[in-house]
Amino acid sequence: MRYSKLFGKTKHEVPCDSNSKNAELLTKGGFIDKLSSGIYSFLPLGLRVLKKINEIIREEMDAIDGQEILMPALHPIDIWKTTGRDITMNDIFYKTKAGEKEFVFGPSHEETVTPLVKKFVQSYKDLPLSVYQLQTKFRNEPRAKSGLLRGREFGMKDMYSFHTSEEDLDNYYKKAIEAYLNVYRRAGVEAYVLEASGGAFSDKYSHEFSIITDAGEDTMILCKNCKFAQNLEIAEGKYENPSSNEEEKPLEKVEIERGKSVSDNAKAHNVDDWRILKSVVYMIEDEGPIGVLIRGDFKVNEDKLQRYFKKKLRPLTSDELEKYGLIEGFISPIGENGQQIETIEFVGDNSIKEMKNFVTGANKINVDWKGANIGRDFQVKDFADFVAVGTSFKCPKCDHELTEEKAVEAGNIFKLGTKFSEAFDLKYTDSDGVKKTVIMGCYGIGNTRLLGTIVEASHDENGIIWPKSVAPYLVNIIRLGDEAEVTTMTEKIYKSLLEKNIDTLLDDRDIRAGEKFKDADLIGIPLRIVISKRTIGENSVEWKERTSTESHNVKIEDLIEKIIEFANK
């Protein structure tokens, strides 16, 4: 490709609506063009990168016996009604009609692939089976932003596996994890495998593949020592129980003026935050209020709480607190009379289970209790893990400190079980002639999202730094000057590289050297080769790698061999 003929040139002004580095750099570099919020065209440079990402994905899915198919993007609404997701996913549907028949543009393909496989699977001999596609998805994302990271139309590789047993699914699931890690490694980024929630109302877990970047909207809890990573929603960590060995003190009422926060309480009583028994009250859908007790220096993880109750919930309003006789900032399981209150029940986080001698409110303004102890002074209905893990916790694997990292979720895999196969009556006949339900798994990688994530993870102040494996071109030849000897040598080197099947972009434009160098840094091709009258006079070219600030000369007779070595290392 000659730059003079390339469709989609660089722009050096920042797009006015750019709100992320990937949106800014990919647009300025001529990789993508925004049509509407969350909807982009891929220009030649961007499409070359996307094709290389897709090829890596294909090779790794094929390696674990995935077979590529292509399913329709347009779905009759009836198949979504079969699973009930016409209601639960209604907010993100793009819908259309043909006469009286209603269709949706596919946000996912479980409802399509399951009846498809049903047509071809009858016996246990037809299983296991795994099929995948690279397809466009459509979701009415209410917060389309961050360029390719959160789009309304986006690319995805979605794979679905079908099994006769949980054991067979487990074995394939492990292979899929390794295949995914291979995809990210080959694409030039480091991904962490996170155990994550399978949904607010499911006991099952999924696994996410997250890449650290400041653009991330997710929080990853990471141990840098052993590389153990967790999603914040379900993260667990170790902590000390500093008062567990104390003798129980008598319950003592204290009248004291203080603010409503935990730190105000701790300061007023001259104790550490962990000594405060914090009470947070939630309204559980269709049930009523519940109090959650936790150490004052910890926070409640509402995702954990919601999974525990398997119901939607929200914090009580000030008016609702007053209705149940609870005073904001002084909420406690113990009333002013020293007895447990009866208006609500309490559950406790495991962090308070072994601790003693708490300071807590008395459900009255400026009245507290000191020496409050579980069992003697108040009862807890149940204990569970409700804590939001953060940097004050230690790794449950190796005891080193945990850190919080911003990350982008670049893939997700999940054991579907029989949810969709039961909905579509997908069964097989086992070796004894008994009909049984097929067990399913699903595996997704957002390929366009991965492209944007690579840019977020690999750039500097001058532009993109593409890993060699996905770069639009490996070599960027820059010709300086139009002297005959410069033009002749440039064409010779260019032709030699093409003959060796080395992806090469030739910048043959009649513009200043500084502009060419600036564009080269912006589009981020791994190797820049400069040919000028000066370098030819030295029988050499200037060699500069995008990852380096230094350049050096390479003899022309050694150039092709060195580029081949660079490509292969």
Side-chain angles (χ1 to χ4, degrees):
M1 172 55 66
R2 297 173 188 272
Y3 209 133
S4 60
K5 296 182 179 180
L6 179 64
F7 177 67
K9 302 296 193 296
T10 56
K11 305 173 183 178
H12 290 289
E13 67 278 5
V14 177
C16 62
D17 57 350
S18 169
N19 57 8
S20 64
K21 271 299 172 183
N22 82 89
E24 174 191 334
L25 296 177
L26 289 169
T27 303
K28 287 174 63 177
F31 291 84
I32 62 174
D33 182 78
K34 183 176 178 179
L35 176 64
S36 183
S37 180
I39 305 172
Y40 290 87
S41 296
F42 279 79
L43 306 182
L45 287 177
L47 190 57
R48 288 182 69 89
V49 176
L50 186 60
K51 285 180 176 179
K52 291 185 177 184
I53 290 172
N54 288 347
E55 193 53 35
I56 290 172
I57 291 173
R58 282 189 172 99
E59 289 174 3
E60 293 300 333
M61 297 307 105
D62 290 349
I64 57 172
D65 297 326
Q67 298 182 62
E68 187 173 3
I69 61 175
L70 184 61
M71 292 178 280
L74 191 64
H75 303 170
I77 190 67
D78 293 346
I79 62 173
W80 289 83
K81 289 180 178 178
T82 301
T83 60
R85 293 211 296 173
D86 63 313
I87 297 173
T88 58
M89 296 184 71
N90 183 61
D91 289 346
I92 66 169
F93 278 155
Y94 286 108
K95 297 180 180 180
T96 187
K97 276 191 173 184
E100 294 302 314
K101 196 167 182 63
E102 188 174 9
F103 295 86
V104 299
F105 291 96
S108 185
H109 276 73
E110 288 86 354
E111 277 82 357
T112 308
V113 74
T114 311
L116 172 65
V117 169
K118 182 179 178 179
K119 295 177 181 178
F120 298 96
V121 168
Q122 283 82 40
S123 164
Y124 71 96
K125 295 180 180 179
D126 300 319
L127 299 170
L129 171 68
S130 178
V131 294
Y132 72 93
Q133 65 171 350
L134 288 152
Q135 172 65 284
T136 302
K137 309 291 187 192
F138 303 87
R139 297 180 185 175
N140 186 15
E141 173 56 63
R143 296 184 298 126
K145 62 178 184 177
S146 302
L148 299 181
L149 301 189
R150 187 184 287 276
R152 293 191 165 104
E153 177 180 322
F154 56 94
M156 180 179 283
K157 185 285 304 177
D158 46 324
M159 183 167 72
Y160 307 90
S161 65
F162 303 83
H163 307 270
T164 58
S165 67
E166 291 284 355
E167 182 182 8
D168 193 51
L169 171 58
D170 290 345
N171 290 334
Y172 191 79
Y173 196 85
K174 292 174 185 177
K175 292 179 182 178
I177 289 176
E178 292 304 315
Y180 268 50
L181 291 175
N182 288 341
V183 168
Y184 301 120
R185 175 184 55 80
R186 292 178 60 187
V189 290
E190 182 178 12
Y192 292 87
V193 184
L194 281 66
E195 190 175 75
S197 170
F201 313 119
S202 172
D203 293 330
K204 295 185 178 180
Y205 291 101
S206 64
H207 286 84
E208 296 174 356
F209 298 82
S210 291
I211 296 165
I212 295 176
T213 166
D214 289 339
E217 293 183 333
D218 296 332
T219 299
M220 177 171 67
I221 303 299
L222 175 66
C223 174
K224 293 183 177 179
N225 180 62
C226 71
K227 306 300 183 183
F228 179 63
Q230 304 172 85
N231 185 290
L232 182 63
E233 291 181 358
I234 65 164
E236 298 179 358
K238 291 183 177 180
Y239 48 83
E240 299 295 329
N241 291 314
S243 65
S244 59
N245 293 324
E246 295 179 358
E247 293 290 330
E248 288 189 2
K249 296 179 181 179
L251 186 65
E252 176 187 354
K253 183 188 287 189
V254 179
E255 294 188 7
I256 188 168
E257 291 190 13
R258 63 171 176 84
K260 294 181 179 181
S261 71
V262 167
S263 59
D264 289 337
N265 195 353
K267 185 177 181 180
H269 290 280
N270 194 28
V271 297
D272 293 320
D273 285 1
W274 57 258
R275 180 74 74 179
I276 305 302
L277 180 67
K278 181 163 63 177
S279 303
V280 189
V281 187
Y282 294 89
M283 184 66 70
I284 304 174
E285 185 180 52
D286 301 326
E287 290 191 13
I290 188 74
V292 182
L293 303 176
I294 193 168
R295 277 170 47 168
D297 57 334
F298 290 169
K299 295 180 180 179
V300 175
N301 183 323
E302 292 182 3
D303 292 299
K304 290 181 178 180
L305 193 64
Q306 191 159 265
R307 281 195 303 278
Y308 174 85
F309 286 107
K310 295 182 172 59
K311 294 273 191 176
K312 291 182 179 180
L313 49 82
R314 59 170 176 79
L316 262 65
T317 66
S318 297
D319 289 343
E320 288 172 329
L321 289 173
E322 186 176 344
K323 173 184 174 182
Y324 290 98
L326 305 173
I327 306 300
E328 193 170 353
F330 292 83
I331 301 171
S332 167
I334 309 173
E336 186 187 9
N337 60 2
Q339 302 297 311
Q340 179 143 356
I341 64 172
E342 298 180 353
T343 53
I344 64 170
E345 291 185 310
F346 288 86
V347 294
D349 178 65
N350 290 331
S351 63
I352 69 168
K353 197 171 185 178
E354 305 298 328
M355 293 183 63
K356 299 174 182 176
N357 302 318
F358 281 107
V359 174
T360 186
N363 293 291
K364 186 177 181 181
I365 291 288
N366 295 332
V367 179
D368 288 332
W369 290 106
K370 293 174 62 176
N373 285 278
I374 302 167
R376 185 194 70 188
D377 304 314
F378 63 94
Q379 303 297 319
V380 175
K381 183 179 180 181
D382 191 20
F383 289 96
D385 176 20
F386 300 129
V387 72
V389 172
T391 54
S392 61
F393 291 73
K394 291 187 177 180
C395 176
K397 301 286 186 182
C398 71
D399 281 342
H400 279 71
E401 291 183 357
L402 296 173
T403 64
E404 294 184 16
E405 307 287 347
K406 287 186 176 181
V408 170
E409 180 193 333
N412 180 283
I413 64 177
F414 183 63
K415 296 176 183 178
L416 293 173
T418 59
K419 175 179 179 178
F420 292 93
S421 50
E422 285 178 352
F424 288 97
D425 196 33
L426 172 56
K427 297 182 182 296
Y428 69 95
T429 303
D430 70 7
S431 57
D432 297 321
V434 178
K435 287 277 190 182
K436 292 185 177 178
T437 304
V438 172
I439 299 169
M440 295 174 56
C442 69
Y443 318 82
I445 292 178
N447 55 346
T448 53
R449 183 180 178 88
L450 178 55
L451 192 157
T453 302
I454 293 170
V455 175
E456 293 288 351
S458 185
H459 69 270
D460 61 16
E461 66 275 12
N462 298 316
I464 303 168
I465 305 174
W466 289 113
K468 287 186 287 186
S469 58
V470 298
Y473 295 93
L474 179 71
V475 182
N476 187 359
I477 296 178
I478 295 180
R479 189 192 73 202
L480 299 183
D482 56 2
E483 295 87 352
E485 63 268 36
V486 174
T487 301
T488 300
M489 182 56 70
T490 299
E491 294 294 331
K492 181 180 178 181
I493 293 172
Y494 179 53
K495 184 178 180 181
S496 297
L497 290 174
L498 296 185
E499 289 173 350
K500 297 291 186 182
N501 292 319
I502 294 174
D503 290 339
T504 305
L505 175 65
L506 170 57
D507 193 342
D508 58 342
R509 295 174 296 171
D510 185 17
I511 60 175
R512 292 175 301 176
E515 291 181 65
K516 291 188 175 186
F517 294 155
K518 191 173 183 179
D519 283 347
D521 282 343
L522 175 58
I523 64 178
I525 292 172
L527 178 60
R528 188 183 82 188
I529 300 296
V530 179
I531 304 171
S532 67
K533 186 175 180 179
R534 178 188 62 80
T535 64
I536 291 176
E538 299 172 0
N539 194 31
S540 65
V541 300
E542 182 186 277
W543 174 295
K544 181 181 180 299
E545 297 176 22
R546 182 63 182 86
T547 55
S548 174
T549 58
E550 303 296 326
S551 63
H552 62 275
N553 283 4
V554 172
K555 292 299 181 182
I556 291 174
E557 59 265 30
D558 300 330
L559 180 62
I560 303 301
E561 182 181 347
K562 286 188 174 294
I563 290 176
I564 293 172
E565 289 177 1
F566 174 77
N568 293 329
K569 73 178 181 180

